[in-house]
Amino acid sequence: ADNLVPLVRQIQASGAGSLAAVARALEARGIKTPRGGTRWQAVQVSRLLALATDTGKPVPSGRWGVLLC
């Protein structure tokens, strides 16, 4: 995938009721943070969603887009 927004939305739809829960789910799936770390924080998920929402477009490839490779 080119970005994490669809994955985050899927995690939310599966019952993750908070950004912290989404962060835990990303960790459980082994998804790395934009800086290559393994520990997600709720604020990182919030920023990811804000980036996608502010532009009206999915988060572009690049820093965020390579994370699922």
Side-chain angles (χ1 to χ4, degrees), residues 1-8 31-32 34 48 51-52 57-69:
D2 283 343
N3 63 70
L4 292 174
V5 175
L7 177 59
V8 169
I31 305 299
K32 293 189 182 265
L48 169 68
L51 284 171
K57 299 177 183 175
V59 176
S61 296
R63 187 171 179 195
W64 286 95
V66 298
L67 298 178
L68 293 179
C69 297

Side-chain angles (χ1 to χ4, degrees), residues 5-26:
V5 175
L7 177 59
V8 169
R9 296 293 185 211
Q10 178 186 22
I11 291 168
Q12 289 174 317
S14 71
S18 68
L19 295 174
V22 172
R24 288 190 298 272
L26 290 169

